[in-house]
Amino acid sequence: MDSLKAHWAYLLNCSQSLILDHGYWTSEGEKDPKDIVMVRLSSLLLKSLDQIGSCRALRICILADNFLTTIEALMACTHLVKLDLKGNQIIQLPDASYWSHLKELQLLYLHDNNISTWNNIKGLSGCLNLTALTLYDTPLSLKKNFRHCLVNSIWSLKALDNFVISDEEIIQNWSLPFQFKAMKQHFCVNLYPSTKLNSFETEMKAVYKIISEINRIQAIYSPTLIIQRWIRGHLIRKSLGLCSTKKHKASVKPFINHSSENEQEPSQSQKTKKEDTDDNHDLPKEKNTEIKRLHVNLNTLMQTIYPEVLLKIAETFDSQQDIEVPYNTPECRSLKSEVQISTFDQGTTKYWL
């Protein structure tokens, strides 16, 4: 015990001078903690974050490989986009009200910590825009149904532990073809790339690159997004008049001309017929041909896509009467089903998808 206290005496607090020494500003001039946009405090034997709350403009915070146990001081940094807490001594995370203040946070790294139970991290459900999360190399990641509980609790989450979340993980007991299977190679994404001492602009570009790659993978390998994209495109073309199903047919009976052969001016009945026919055929031939081609292409797409995927989605929609607000993406998570999820610590809990 005495040796532990002796080692603890060597640990540092996050002082203002330490922040100024490892902070980054977007403009030259007077160095003020409230204008810091990025701070690197990795491997500095930190045990607390007392003064970090003074960095109100902080967007990227790197605190990897320290001895931190609590992170409540970061609540004041409401503009955080990336938070790296890898390799610390964190056991319990703050509650949902804490994370609700971090409305811009998208990347959160918590791997290689001491988090062991679901109750330790359930507050993350209050982080409304969290896109990617890492929890590998923690006792919690070894639990059964670890991924299933996480992806159905944090609605905005798109990637977990270097794999983009598939539709198969969201909807319980839904078996998809190999192309859409969960945790396959094509769902892999590097959420924690090794970086050197980069500038703030380079770090922000890396953040946007990761998010862009996650969105690209989901757009290709999510059957829900694919079908919604086709339907949305069809509705847009229909609203523009390119997918009208009404056929323009002339309803005027054939006109018999009883006038003399030498008559040059058309009769009044002939003029009326011509006007009615022109109203019914106001579209040019090129547009009529394009409409037919679009219908053929749409029918071909609906016949050639995975029949079992369409059938499963149709059955899901037929069996559900209510559809709640979509989650996890603005487009995805639009199917509602009540599933039974075995939690890590107790019994069975109901989750609404």
PDB file of all heavy atoms in Angstrom, residues 245-268:
ATOM      1  N   THR A 245     -48.069   7.393 -64.531  1.00  0.00           N
ATOM      2  CA  THR A 245     -48.631   6.147 -65.044  1.00  0.00           C
ATOM      3  C   THR A 245     -49.885   6.386 -65.884  1.00  0.00           C
ATOM      4  O   THR A 245     -50.468   5.428 -66.393  1.00  0.00           O
ATOM      5  CB  THR A 245     -48.997   5.222 -63.875  1.00  0.00           C
ATOM      6  OG1 THR A 245     -49.912   5.898 -63.008  1.00  0.00           O
ATOM      7  CG2 THR A 245     -47.747   4.833 -63.099  1.00  0.00           C
ATOM      8  N   LYS A 246     -50.288   7.637 -65.985  1.00  0.00           N
ATOM      9  CA  LYS A 246     -51.472   7.936 -66.776  1.00  0.00           C
ATOM     10  C   LYS A 246     -51.120   7.930 -68.254  1.00  0.00           C
ATOM     11  O   LYS A 246     -50.160   8.554 -68.679  1.00  0.00           O
ATOM     12  CB  LYS A 246     -52.042   9.295 -66.379  1.00  0.00           C
ATOM     13  CG  LYS A 246     -52.518   9.351 -64.935  1.00  0.00           C
ATOM     14  CD  LYS A 246     -53.078  10.723 -64.616  1.00  0.00           C
ATOM     15  CE  LYS A 246     -53.572  10.784 -63.183  1.00  0.00           C
ATOM     16  NZ  LYS A 246     -54.109  12.120 -62.855  1.00  0.00           N
ATOM     17  N   LYS A 247     -51.907   7.249 -69.019  1.00  0.00           N
ATOM     18  CA  LYS A 247     -51.695   7.198 -70.455  1.00  0.00           C
ATOM     19  C   LYS A 247     -52.617   8.210 -71.121  1.00  0.00           C
ATOM     20  O   LYS A 247     -53.818   8.244 -70.865  1.00  0.00           O
ATOM     21  CB  LYS A 247     -51.980   5.798 -70.991  1.00  0.00           C
ATOM     22  CG  LYS A 247     -51.027   4.752 -70.446  1.00  0.00           C
ATOM     23  CD  LYS A 247     -51.322   3.402 -71.048  1.00  0.00           C
ATOM     24  CE  LYS A 247     -50.354   2.357 -70.521  1.00  0.00           C
ATOM     25  NZ  LYS A 247     -50.627   1.013 -71.084  1.00  0.00           N
ATOM     26  N   HIS A 248     -52.018   8.997 -71.986  1.00  0.00           N
ATOM     27  CA  HIS A 248     -52.783  10.018 -72.675  1.00  0.00           C
ATOM     28  C   HIS A 248     -53.429   9.395 -73.896  1.00  0.00           C
ATOM     29  O   HIS A 248     -52.746   9.019 -74.850  1.00  0.00           O
ATOM     30  CB  HIS A 248     -51.859  11.166 -73.090  1.00  0.00           C
ATOM     31  CG  HIS A 248     -51.178  11.805 -71.923  1.00  0.00           C
ATOM     32  ND1 HIS A 248     -51.779  12.752 -71.146  1.00  0.00           N
ATOM     33  CD2 HIS A 248     -49.945  11.604 -71.391  1.00  0.00           C
ATOM     34  CE1 HIS A 248     -50.958  13.134 -70.195  1.00  0.00           C
ATOM     35  NE2 HIS A 248     -49.841  12.446 -70.329  1.00  0.00           N
ATOM     36  N   LYS A 249     -54.729   9.269 -73.823  1.00  0.00           N
ATOM     37  CA  LYS A 249     -55.470   8.684 -74.930  1.00  0.00           C
ATOM     38  C   LYS A 249     -56.508   9.688 -75.420  1.00  0.00           C
ATOM     39  O   LYS A 249     -57.206  10.308 -74.630  1.00  0.00           O
ATOM     40  CB  LYS A 249     -56.172   7.391 -74.488  1.00  0.00           C
ATOM     41  CG  LYS A 249     -55.206   6.281 -74.102  1.00  0.00           C
ATOM     42  CD  LYS A 249     -55.979   5.033 -73.724  1.00  0.00           C
ATOM     43  CE  LYS A 249     -55.011   3.907 -73.358  1.00  0.00           C
ATOM     44  NZ  LYS A 249     -55.733   2.675 -72.954  1.00  0.00           N
ATOM     45  N   ALA A 250     -56.605   9.790 -76.678  1.00  0.00           N
ATOM     46  CA  ALA A 250     -57.596  10.680 -77.267  1.00  0.00           C
ATOM     47  C   ALA A 250     -58.963  10.021 -77.209  1.00  0.00           C
ATOM     48  O   ALA A 250     -59.142   8.882 -77.637  1.00  0.00           O
ATOM     49  CB  ALA A 250     -57.235  10.997 -78.721  1.00  0.00           C
ATOM     50  N   SER A 251     -59.925  10.730 -76.672  1.00  0.00           N
ATOM     51  CA  SER A 251     -61.268  10.182 -76.511  1.00  0.00           C
ATOM     52  C   SER A 251     -62.245  10.712 -77.556  1.00  0.00           C
ATOM     53  O   SER A 251     -63.446  10.497 -77.453  1.00  0.00           O
ATOM     54  CB  SER A 251     -61.793  10.513 -75.114  1.00  0.00           C
ATOM     55  OG  SER A 251     -61.822  11.913 -74.915  1.00  0.00           O
ATOM     56  N   VAL A 252     -61.730  11.408 -78.547  1.00  0.00           N
ATOM     57  CA  VAL A 252     -62.584  12.003 -79.578  1.00  0.00           C
ATOM     58  C   VAL A 252     -62.820  10.984 -80.683  1.00  0.00           C
ATOM     59  O   VAL A 252     -61.892  10.312 -81.128  1.00  0.00           O
ATOM     60  CB  VAL A 252     -61.930  13.281 -80.138  1.00  0.00           C
ATOM     61  CG1 VAL A 252     -62.836  13.924 -81.169  1.00  0.00           C
ATOM     62  CG2 VAL A 252     -61.628  14.234 -78.997  1.00  0.00           C
ATOM     63  N   LYS A 253     -64.027  10.848 -81.075  1.00  0.00           N
ATOM     64  CA  LYS A 253     -64.362   9.916 -82.150  1.00  0.00           C
ATOM     65  C   LYS A 253     -63.830  10.419 -83.476  1.00  0.00           C
ATOM     66  O   LYS A 253     -63.641  11.619 -83.678  1.00  0.00           O
ATOM     67  CB  LYS A 253     -65.880   9.748 -82.224  1.00  0.00           C
ATOM     68  CG  LYS A 253     -66.461   9.116 -80.971  1.00  0.00           C
ATOM     69  CD  LYS A 253     -67.962   8.959 -81.120  1.00  0.00           C
ATOM     70  CE  LYS A 253     -68.540   8.294 -79.877  1.00  0.00           C
ATOM     71  NZ  LYS A 253     -70.013   8.126 -79.985  1.00  0.00           N
ATOM     72  N   PRO A 254     -63.601   9.514 -84.398  1.00  0.00           N
ATOM     73  CA  PRO A 254     -63.116   9.937 -85.719  1.00  0.00           C
ATOM     74  C   PRO A 254     -64.082  10.931 -86.357  1.00  0.00           C
ATOM     75  O   PRO A 254     -65.304  10.776 -86.282  1.00  0.00           O
ATOM     76  CB  PRO A 254     -63.036   8.630 -86.496  1.00  0.00           C
ATOM     77  CG  PRO A 254     -62.936   7.573 -85.458  1.00  0.00           C
ATOM     78  CD  PRO A 254     -63.707   8.056 -84.292  1.00  0.00           C
ATOM     79  N   PHE A 255     -63.501  11.950 -86.986  1.00  0.00           N
ATOM     80  CA  PHE A 255     -64.302  13.012 -87.591  1.00  0.00           C
ATOM     81  C   PHE A 255     -64.469  12.740 -89.085  1.00  0.00           C
ATOM     82  O   PHE A 255     -63.504  12.421 -89.782  1.00  0.00           O
ATOM     83  CB  PHE A 255     -63.607  14.361 -87.375  1.00  0.00           C
ATOM     84  CG  PHE A 255     -64.305  15.508 -88.038  1.00  0.00           C
ATOM     85  CD1 PHE A 255     -65.479  16.022 -87.490  1.00  0.00           C
ATOM     86  CD2 PHE A 255     -63.800  16.063 -89.200  1.00  0.00           C
ATOM     87  CE1 PHE A 255     -66.111  17.086 -88.104  1.00  0.00           C
ATOM     88  CE2 PHE A 255     -64.443  17.112 -89.797  1.00  0.00           C
ATOM     89  CZ  PHE A 255     -65.597  17.642 -89.258  1.00  0.00           C
ATOM     90  N   ILE A 256     -65.672  12.826 -89.528  1.00  0.00           N
ATOM     91  CA  ILE A 256     -65.970  12.614 -90.945  1.00  0.00           C
ATOM     92  C   ILE A 256     -66.221  13.955 -91.578  1.00  0.00           C
ATOM     93  O   ILE A 256     -67.113  14.703 -91.158  1.00  0.00           O
ATOM     94  CB  ILE A 256     -67.208  11.697 -91.128  1.00  0.00           C
ATOM     95  CG1 ILE A 256     -66.946  10.368 -90.433  1.00  0.00           C
ATOM     96  CG2 ILE A 256     -67.529  11.508 -92.597  1.00  0.00           C
ATOM     97  CD1 ILE A 256     -68.145   9.439 -90.471  1.00  0.00           C
ATOM     98  N   ASN A 257     -65.462  14.274 -92.571  1.00  0.00           N
ATOM     99  CA  ASN A 257     -65.559  15.560 -93.240  1.00  0.00           C
ATOM    100  C   ASN A 257     -66.594  15.474 -94.357  1.00  0.00           C
ATOM    101  O   ASN A 257     -66.422  14.717 -95.311  1.00  0.00           O
ATOM    102  CB  ASN A 257     -64.193  15.950 -93.792  1.00  0.00           C
ATOM    103  CG  ASN A 257     -64.180  17.375 -94.318  1.00  0.00           C
ATOM    104  OD1 ASN A 257     -65.181  18.084 -94.242  1.00  0.00           O
ATOM    105  ND2 ASN A 257     -63.016  17.773 -94.843  1.00  0.00           N
ATOM    106  N   HIS A 258     -67.684  16.241 -94.212  1.00  0.00           N
ATOM    107  CA  HIS A 258     -68.735  16.254 -95.216  1.00  0.00           C
ATOM    108  C   HIS A 258     -68.622  17.459 -96.120  1.00  0.00           C
ATOM    109  O   HIS A 258     -69.495  17.690 -96.953  1.00  0.00           O
ATOM    110  CB  HIS A 258     -70.118  16.253 -94.538  1.00  0.00           C
ATOM    111  CG  HIS A 258     -70.348  15.013 -93.727  1.00  0.00           C
ATOM    112  ND1 HIS A 258     -70.639  13.796 -94.294  1.00  0.00           N
ATOM    113  CD2 HIS A 258     -70.316  14.831 -92.371  1.00  0.00           C
ATOM    114  CE1 HIS A 258     -70.796  12.881 -93.335  1.00  0.00           C
ATOM    115  NE2 HIS A 258     -70.601  13.510 -92.158  1.00  0.00           N
ATOM    116  N   SER A 259     -67.586  18.237 -95.964  1.00  0.00           N
ATOM    117  CA  SER A 259     -67.434  19.427 -96.795  1.00  0.00           C
ATOM    118  C   SER A 259     -66.905  19.047 -98.152  1.00  0.00           C
ATOM    119  O   SER A 259     -66.466  17.930 -98.391  1.00  0.00           O
ATOM    120  CB  SER A 259     -66.508  20.430 -96.110  1.00  0.00           C
ATOM    121  OG  SER A 259     -65.255  19.848 -95.915  1.00  0.00           O
ATOM    122  N   SER A 260     -66.915  19.962 -99.034  1.00  0.00           N
ATOM    123  CA  SER A 260     -66.461  19.727-100.396  1.00  0.00           C
ATOM    124  C   SER A 260     -64.957  19.568-100.442  1.00  0.00           C
ATOM    125  O   SER A 260     -64.255  19.999 -99.553  1.00  0.00           O
ATOM    126  CB  SER A 260     -66.903  20.894-101.296  1.00  0.00           C
ATOM    127  OG  SER A 260     -66.310  22.095-100.823  1.00  0.00           O
ATOM    128  N   GLU A 261     -64.483  18.903-101.517  1.00  0.00           N
ATOM    129  CA  GLU A 261     -63.058  18.660-101.632  1.00  0.00           C
ATOM    130  C   GLU A 261     -62.260  19.917-101.834  1.00  0.00           C
ATOM    131  O   GLU A 261     -61.090  19.989-101.475  1.00  0.00           O
ATOM    132  CB  GLU A 261     -62.812  17.711-102.817  1.00  0.00           C
ATOM    133  CG  GLU A 261     -63.431  16.349-102.600  1.00  0.00           C
ATOM    134  CD  GLU A 261     -63.170  15.442-103.797  1.00  0.00           C
ATOM    135  OE1 GLU A 261     -62.580  15.944-104.784  1.00  0.00           O
ATOM    136  OE2 GLU A 261     -63.546  14.271-103.729  1.00  0.00           O
ATOM    137  N   ASN A 262     -62.838  20.954-102.397  1.00  0.00           N
ATOM    138  CA  ASN A 262     -62.109  22.188-102.687  1.00  0.00           C
ATOM    139  C   ASN A 262     -62.108  23.159-101.514  1.00  0.00           C
ATOM    140  O   ASN A 262     -61.598  24.262-101.635  1.00  0.00           O
ATOM    141  CB  ASN A 262     -62.729  22.879-103.906  1.00  0.00           C
ATOM    142  CG  ASN A 262     -62.580  22.035-105.173  1.00  0.00           C
ATOM    143  OD1 ASN A 262     -61.595  21.291-105.297  1.00  0.00           O
ATOM    144  ND2 ASN A 262     -63.540  22.153-106.090  1.00  0.00           N
ATOM    145  N   GLU A 263     -62.724  22.744-100.420  1.00  0.00           N
ATOM    146  CA  GLU A 263     -62.799  23.643 -99.271  1.00  0.00           C
ATOM    147  C   GLU A 263     -61.425  23.751 -98.613  1.00  0.00           C
ATOM    148  O   GLU A 263     -60.817  22.751 -98.264  1.00  0.00           O
ATOM    149  CB  GLU A 263     -63.824  23.121 -98.269  1.00  0.00           C
ATOM    150  CG  GLU A 263     -64.142  24.132 -97.166  1.00  0.00           C
ATOM    151  CD  GLU A 263     -65.277  23.615 -96.302  1.00  0.00           C
ATOM    152  OE1 GLU A 263     -65.757  22.512 -96.577  1.00  0.00           O
ATOM    153  OE2 GLU A 263     -65.650  24.327 -95.364  1.00  0.00           O
ATOM    154  N   GLN A 264     -60.898  24.988 -98.416  1.00  0.00           N
ATOM    155  CA  GLN A 264     -59.560  25.220 -97.888  1.00  0.00           C
ATOM    156  C   GLN A 264     -59.564  25.380 -96.380  1.00  0.00           C
ATOM    157  O   GLN A 264     -58.659  24.923 -95.706  1.00  0.00           O
ATOM    158  CB  GLN A 264     -58.941  26.466 -98.539  1.00  0.00           C
ATOM    159  CG  GLN A 264     -58.799  26.348-100.053  1.00  0.00           C
ATOM    160  CD  GLN A 264     -57.814  25.265-100.441  1.00  0.00           C
ATOM    161  OE1 GLN A 264     -56.858  25.003 -99.723  1.00  0.00           O
ATOM    162  NE2 GLN A 264     -58.073  24.603-101.578  1.00  0.00           N
ATOM    163  N   GLU A 265     -60.560  26.053 -95.794  1.00  0.00           N
ATOM    164  CA  GLU A 265     -60.595  26.341 -94.365  1.00  0.00           C
ATOM    165  C   GLU A 265     -61.240  25.176 -93.631  1.00  0.00           C
ATOM    166  O   GLU A 265     -62.282  24.656 -94.047  1.00  0.00           O
ATOM    167  CB  GLU A 265     -61.398  27.623 -94.088  1.00  0.00           C
ATOM    168  CG  GLU A 265     -60.745  28.869 -94.666  1.00  0.00           C
ATOM    169  CD  GLU A 265     -59.470  29.197 -93.978  1.00  0.00           C
ATOM    170  OE1 GLU A 265     -59.361  28.877 -92.766  1.00  0.00           O
ATOM    171  OE2 GLU A 265     -58.566  29.749 -94.609  1.00  0.00           O
ATOM    172  N   PRO A 266     -60.648  24.709 -92.496  1.00  0.00           N
ATOM    173  CA  PRO A 266     -61.268  23.637 -91.720  1.00  0.00           C
ATOM    174  C   PRO A 266     -62.538  24.119 -91.022  1.00  0.00           C
ATOM    175  O   PRO A 266     -62.665  25.298 -90.690  1.00  0.00           O
ATOM    176  CB  PRO A 266     -60.197  23.253 -90.700  1.00  0.00           C
ATOM    177  CG  PRO A 266     -59.373  24.468 -90.556  1.00  0.00           C
ATOM    178  CD  PRO A 266     -59.385  25.146 -91.910  1.00  0.00           C
ATOM    179  N   SER A 267     -63.453  23.178 -90.798  1.00  0.00           N
ATOM    180  CA  SER A 267     -64.709  23.518 -90.139  1.00  0.00           C
ATOM    181  C   SER A 267     -64.469  23.726 -88.633  1.00  0.00           C
ATOM    182  O   SER A 267     -63.410  23.412 -88.107  1.00  0.00           O
ATOM    183  CB  SER A 267     -65.741  22.416 -90.364  1.00  0.00           C
ATOM    184  OG  SER A 267     -65.293  21.217 -89.762  1.00  0.00           O
ATOM    185  N   GLN A 268     -65.497  24.243 -87.923  1.00  0.00           N
ATOM    186  CA  GLN A 268     -65.392  24.494 -86.488  1.00  0.00           C
ATOM    187  C   GLN A 268     -65.225  23.195 -85.708  1.00  0.00           C
ATOM    188  O   GLN A 268     -64.486  23.136 -84.726  1.00  0.00           O
ATOM    189  CB  GLN A 268     -66.652  25.238 -86.012  1.00  0.00           C
ATOM    190  CG  GLN A 268     -66.608  25.624 -84.543  1.00  0.00           C
ATOM    191  CD  GLN A 268     -65.512  26.629 -84.254  1.00  0.00           C
ATOM    192  OE1 GLN A 268     -65.157  27.430 -85.117  1.00  0.00           O
ATOM    193  NE2 GLN A 268     -64.955  26.576 -83.052  1.00  0.00           N
TER     194      GLN A 268
END
